[in-house]
Amino acid sequence: MTENRKAPRPGRTPMREQPAAERKKNFTEVPYGYNLEEAVAEASRCLQCKKPLCVTGCPVEVDIPGFVGAIAARDLRKAVEILKGTNTLPAVCGRVCPQEEQCEIRCVLGKKGTPVAIGNLERFAADWEREQGEARMPEVAAPTGRRIAVVGSGPAGLTCAGELARRGHEVAIFEALHEPGGVLVYGIPEFRLPKKIVRVEIDNLKKMGVTVEVNSVVGKLDTIDELLAEYDAVFVGTGAGLPKFKDIPGENLVGVYSANEYLTRANLMRSYQWPESGTPPVKSKTVVVIGGGNVAMDSARTALRLGAQRVILAYRRSGDEMPARKAEIHHAQEEGIEFMMLTDPIEVLGDERGRVRAVRCLRMELAEPDASGRRKPVPVKGSEFEIECDTVIPALGNNPNPLVPRTTEGLKVGKWGNIEADSVTGQTSREGVFAGGDVVTGAATVIEAMGAGRRASRAIHDYVMARPPKRK
Amino acid sequence: MFEIVSNELIGPQIYRLRVRAAKIARKRRPGQFVIVRAAENAERVPLTIADSDPEAGTISLVIQAVGQATKQLVALRPGEGIRDVAGPLGHPTHIEKFGRVVVVGGGIGTAVAMPIAQALKAAGNEVVAIIGGRSREFVILEYELRQIADRLIICTDDGSYGRKGFVTDALTELLASEQFDLAVAIGPVPMMEAVCNVTRPPAIPTVVSLNPLMIDGTGMCGGCRVTVGGQTKFACVDGPEFDGHQVDFVGLRSRLGAFRDQEQEAHKQLDEKCRLK
């Protein structure tokens, strides 16, 4: 019977990675990446659809069959060219994009088996180029005489800056911290996104003529109005950087850190290299992370690597509702993070010195779906219990950073403090001011912010070219 | 790089650094702070701007060398530079004509109190300044404050200079016989707390300037959160100045000590290394 059937299509090529027992003790990147043969094998699985559905799932519309086909043909230079035609940061996206809900979920192969590993292939091509040394620069158009200020150097700002530089504009990026990259350097841990990759991408922008001013807190040092006096347009991509807390008693005790603080200490300030780096790491025996998103996973896995003996992730819904990527949840579980589902912390308890000693929690159960469409967690009566711990990390999301909205007159903001901007052009209520990324949408993904930066760059180009340049 | 223009010792382990930062010097208002990083890999340290000279394009920072990061900063010589200076951060002090104002400075808090006293005086207030330190050599900026304040009271804990006792003793005495419309207290947390306890019964509005642990200074880390009037505030974007009568000083004190054990351990390790070399 079987001989009449076609040979089954080979499954997805797995990516080799550091064993869990080893990697939980270091900050080195977890997956090793494909080698050439693995990449070619995986790329050859692509059906090269005439009407590729995968592309419709990509916020920046990468020509996926194009670059995958080039890898299959072993023409890596061409693969990179195609990728970079629409995506300025492929090495980053190949690592942190949620491909499983964007491009890969739409892959026809996924209907009966496993979709093409588009993310892994993107990463492979971008890494190959970087390892060649000199990256080939995209062509830069003749100077237009227009100057554009980009506020914030996260995914939205970097993408917008790159696209505008390509069109011949003079672009200056203003970054508040001492190192550019935004969430790519302060938030996402080294073991998921090596900082070297971000630095190379930023160096590439500089080679295209983009300038980067670090330590420039726009809103405090320069206001948007002052920038507008010098620049033909301003793009605001200041992100969602104001951490939310749970507003429960005890949250200001010593030992409670927002995920932002916890991750910034480890990533941007490299506290894991302390005391060679000046910033001390948070030392813990037992850590309770509150939340179920990617940032919660990053915090929990960082805690393990900083030497915690036990790391518990408390999430008030069930595993099905967890917003984190499946791959991240899987990695966290492999490394030994304890998942306490349907657990809602209601108070942080301290000792006589004001330091965390435990978290009091309620058990939850799921009722009818709520406004988010997810089943609403409700407390189980009399289910209170305590988890003994010395560190608590609320990873509950962020509100948009308030510095620019607070200091820019006439800039319309929404009810969460987000800047109101057109979803296609990024145009705000102020002429010449465009915005995109998390400061507009609230905390979302790297690629969505990049998509917004890219779309805004087109609108900014049209806007500045329709007017005479400010600088004569 | 932000060039060090001068570096002078003004008290025991207390240094005044003039740093070239033209834009910040132009923009800064009294009460605001900067975050500095001495060198690559160094810690980010929040420091209140003590003074600025917009024409020379410099800001002054008064630094007490207590930890690794501050020791690294005060070791910089003129001509060398601080790698990163970001600011001006936080809200400036609210300055208007209140009437009679008493400004209390303790330790290096005096350096922060000075420009505020200056601005209050310029706004038409009568300013009485009280400054103090453990002993004579810890009293800083006496000359500068004499130029600014209508009256200057100096206290030392050991009586080696001025009157013997704490700044709060002098303040209590002053309030017994005189009326004030505003008090400004800047110094170590126990001192600011004690001042607030003195000004609470006569209901004198009291402004304190807080300097909790923080990393970015732009609202991102939330490490600087402090409870004010039962609500959580971020000192970096909501402060650094708050109504002292509303501040939870107990919580503030314990949060300031969050990394003390580890920092001491780091000192030991580094000292050890230096000895081995």
Side-chain angles (χ1 to χ4, degrees):
Chain A
M1 320 173 358
T2 49
E3 56 265 28
N4 291 337
R5 284 212 191 143
K6 271 198 257 175
R9 227 160 231 295
R12 188 178 168 114
T13 313
M15 195 184 270
R16 290 162 290 113
E17 56 185 32
Q18 273 198 79
E22 231 167 82
R23 71 183 188 232
K24 69 182 193 187
K25 293 182 215 144
N26 66 50
F27 277 82
T28 312
E29 189 172 16
V30 171
Y32 293 127
Y34 283 156
N35 59 30
L36 178 64
E37 292 316 313
E38 288 165 334
V40 170
E42 181 60 23
S44 305
R45 293 178 63 229
C46 176
L47 300 177
Q48 295 290 318
C49 302
K50 283 272 164 337
K51 284 185 184 164
L53 293 173
C54 50
V55 179
T56 63
C58 176
V60 297
E61 294 165 0
V62 166
D63 173 7
I64 294 167
F67 96 83
V68 172
I71 294 177
R74 296 174 187 260
D75 188 348
L76 302 184
R77 176 69 62 200
K78 187 175 165 202
V80 172
E81 261 165 38
I82 294 171
L83 265 172
K84 289 207 162 170
T86 49
N87 184 344
T88 25
L89 307 170
V92 174
C93 291
R95 289 171 165 83
V96 303
C97 263
Q99 290 97 7
E100 64 283 0
E101 36 186 84
Q102 293 183 156
C103 49
E104 293 179 11
I105 198 175
R106 290 172 169 81
C107 176
V108 174
L109 285 184
K111 296 218 163 71
K112 281 189 180 156
T114 48
V116 173
I118 300 167
N120 291 355
L121 290 170
E122 181 180 28
R123 172 190 157 146
F124 167 76
D127 285 359
W128 172 82
E129 190 204 25
R130 194 180 59 254
E131 282 152 19
Q132 300 304 300
E134 204 62 8
R136 209 188 281 178
M137 284 300 113
E139 260 175 59
V140 173
T144 62
R146 269 69 168 185
R147 305 171 77 215
I148 294 142
V150 171
V151 184
S153 64
L158 291 180
T159 307
C160 190
E163 295 293 330
L164 288 168
R166 230 188 253 205
R167 288 166 182 258
H169 304 298
E170 196 183 319
V171 182
I173 297 180
F174 295 86
E175 166 56 46
L177 292 171
H178 57 260
E179 206 177 306
V183 74
L184 306 176
V185 298
Y186 75 73
I188 302 176
E190 179 78 16
F191 55 82
R192 242 174 17 96
L193 177 63
K195 300 307 149 222
K196 191 181 138 218
I197 289 169
V198 184
R199 278 197 290 275
V200 169
E201 299 291 2
I202 288 161
D203 285 344
N204 288 343
L205 283 183
K206 288 181 181 168
K207 284 181 198 153
M208 289 165 68
V210 175
T211 59
V212 182
E213 297 248 1
V214 292
N215 297 316
S216 287
V217 188
V218 171
K220 288 290 178 187
L221 192 60
D222 291 298
T223 61
I224 296 292
D225 285 283
E226 284 165 324
L227 291 178
L228 275 176
E230 277 185 58
Y231 292 87
D232 296 282
V234 176
F235 175 77
V236 182
T238 47
L242 198 73
K244 289 184 199 168
F245 286 88
K246 216 165 148 48
D247 288 329
I248 55 175
E251 240 176 348
N252 289 350
L253 289 167
V254 175
V256 184
Y257 303 90
S258 75
N260 277 3
E261 179 180 0
Y262 194 78
L263 291 171
T264 300
R265 281 178 180 276
N267 300 328
L268 178 72
M269 305 311 295
R270 300 183 191 95
S271 68
Y272 59 89
Q273 292 167 344
W274 184 81
E276 281 71 30
S277 73
T279 305
V282 177
K283 287 211 171 160
S284 323
K285 284 204 176 73
T286 306
V287 177
V288 174
V289 177
I290 309 173
N294 288 323
V295 176
M297 299 303 147
D298 285 346
S299 304
R301 297 173 69 197
T302 297
L304 268 188
R305 286 160 173 79
L306 287 174
Q309 286 156 17
R310 188 176 178 209
V311 181
I312 297 159
L313 193 129
Y315 180 56
R316 64 196 188 109
R317 302 180 195 248
S318 80
D320 293 340
E321 288 85 21
M322 260 199 179
R325 292 181 70 185
K326 294 282 170 290
E328 301 306 327
I329 296 172
H330 175 70
H331 274 141
Q333 282 169 332
E334 274 184 342
E335 287 168 14
I337 308 289
E338 292 174 47
F339 284 62
M340 276 197 193
M341 300 299 173
L342 295 165
T343 301
D344 193 24
I346 51 168
E347 184 178 1
V348 184
L349 305 166
D351 63 14
E352 66 288 343
R353 292 169 68 206
R355 288 169 186 255
V356 172
R357 67 164 182 84
V359 178
R360 180 173 291 147
C361 302
L362 281 176
R363 295 242 182 262
M364 309 298 274
E365 56 189 5
L366 294 177
E368 296 303 303
D370 63 11
S372 73
R374 297 180 295 181
R375 292 180 65 192
K376 187 184 166 155
V378 291
V380 177
K381 266 203 187 124
S383 65
E384 269 188 33
F385 67 104
E386 285 179 16
I387 310 171
E388 266 185 49
C389 62
D390 51 14
T391 302
V392 176
I393 305 173
L396 305 163
N398 289 283
N399 285 323
N401 191 290
L403 286 182
V404 167
R406 273 189 198 174
T407 53
T408 313
E409 237 174 89
L411 190 67
K412 255 200 188 160
V413 292
K415 107 172 147 181
W416 308 110
N418 53 301
I419 296 177
E420 287 188 358
D422 186 280
S423 62
V424 178
T425 63
Q427 175 68 56
T428 68
S429 58
R430 285 286 307 268
E431 200 194 325
V433 181
F434 299 78
D438 284 4
V439 76
V440 172
T441 57
T445 60
V446 167
I447 188 72
E448 283 169 288
M450 289 178 58
R454 188 177 158 78
R455 288 191 299 275
S457 73
R458 293 180 191 144
I460 292 171
H461 174 79
D462 293 344
Y463 173 84
V464 297
M465 295 315 285
R467 287 161 182 75
K470 275 196 179 143
R471 194 172 55 181
K472 298 283 163 355
Chain B
M1 262 322 173
F2 295 78
E3 188 200 342
I4 307 283
V5 177
S6 66
N7 179 351
E8 45 178 330
L9 187 70
I10 60 168
Q13 296 299 314
I14 304 172
Y15 298 79
R16 175 162 52 196
L17 271 63
R18 286 211 170 79
V19 183
R20 200 172 299 287
K23 218 172 188 179
I24 299 174
R26 246 189 351 259
K27 286 272 172 166
R28 133 309 147 173
R29 297 282 168 272
Q32 289 188 296
F33 65 98
V34 287
I35 290 204
V36 307
R37 213 166 65 110
E40 184 66 52
N41 271 333
E43 198 173 3
R44 290 172 67 95
V45 186
L47 294 168
T48 310
I49 304 167
D51 205 354
S52 69
D53 183 342
E55 269 165 37
T58 58
I59 57 170
S60 297
L61 303 172
V62 173
I63 304 169
Q64 190 161 25
V66 284
Q68 193 194 335
T70 43
K71 281 181 185 162
Q72 205 174 347
L73 281 167
V74 302
L76 294 169
R77 310 313 330 157
E80 294 180 324
I82 301 180
R83 188 182 167 102
D84 300 292
V85 180
L89 300 168
H91 291 300
T93 310
H94 174 69
I95 302 289
E96 63 170 71
K97 188 173 176 185
F98 296 96
R100 302 194 75 226
V101 183
V102 56
V103 176
V104 189
I108 64 159
T110 305
V112 180
M114 189 190 74
I116 296 172
Q118 198 168 20
L120 286 165
K121 177 69 190 167
N125 293 284
E126 183 187 337
V127 175
V128 177
I130 305 175
I131 60 172
R134 248 182 289 161
S135 58
R136 179 171 190 148
E137 61 272 24
F138 284 92
V139 175
I140 59 169
L141 303 173
E142 178 192 347
Y143 172 80
E144 287 86 344
L145 272 162
R146 266 203 207 290
Q147 317 299 312
I148 295 164
D150 293 283
R151 204 174 355 146
L152 176 67
I153 303 167
I154 295 171
C155 322
T156 51
D157 299 359
D158 63 0
S160 56
Y161 191 51
R163 48 172 295 166
K164 184 173 170 15
F166 298 126
V167 284
T168 40
D169 299 332
L171 181 66
T172 309
E173 208 169 282
L174 190 69
L175 295 188
S177 56
E178 294 179 36
Q179 298 284 321
F180 284 91
D181 302 297
L182 179 75
V184 177
I186 302 169
V189 173
M191 178 221 114
M192 292 192 284
E193 186 178 11
V195 167
C196 289
N197 289 337
V198 172
T199 57
R200 193 174 281 117
I204 300 170
T206 303
V207 174
V208 295
S209 177
L210 307 183
N211 194 8
L213 301 183
M214 61 176 78
I215 300 177
D216 61 295
T218 64
M220 192 195 67
C221 78
C224 65
R225 61 198 191 279
V226 49
T227 312
V228 181
Q231 284 193 319
T232 295
K233 298 281 183 189
F234 288 7
C236 64
V237 289
D238 299 320
E241 294 177 4
F242 293 101
D243 174 355
H245 294 154
Q246 303 283 324
V247 170
D248 168 18
F249 285 104
V250 177
L252 177 65
R253 226 171 1 204
S254 70
R255 289 189 62 80
L256 270 169
F259 288 93
R260 198 157 290 148
D261 298 350
Q262 267 160 273
E263 274 157 7
Q264 274 162 6
E265 191 196 314
H267 279 314
K268 250 192 265 162
Q269 287 188 23
L270 287 170
D271 287 349
E272 196 75 14
K273 265 192 194 165
C274 295
R275 267 202 296 280
L276 290 174
K277 279 178 192 162

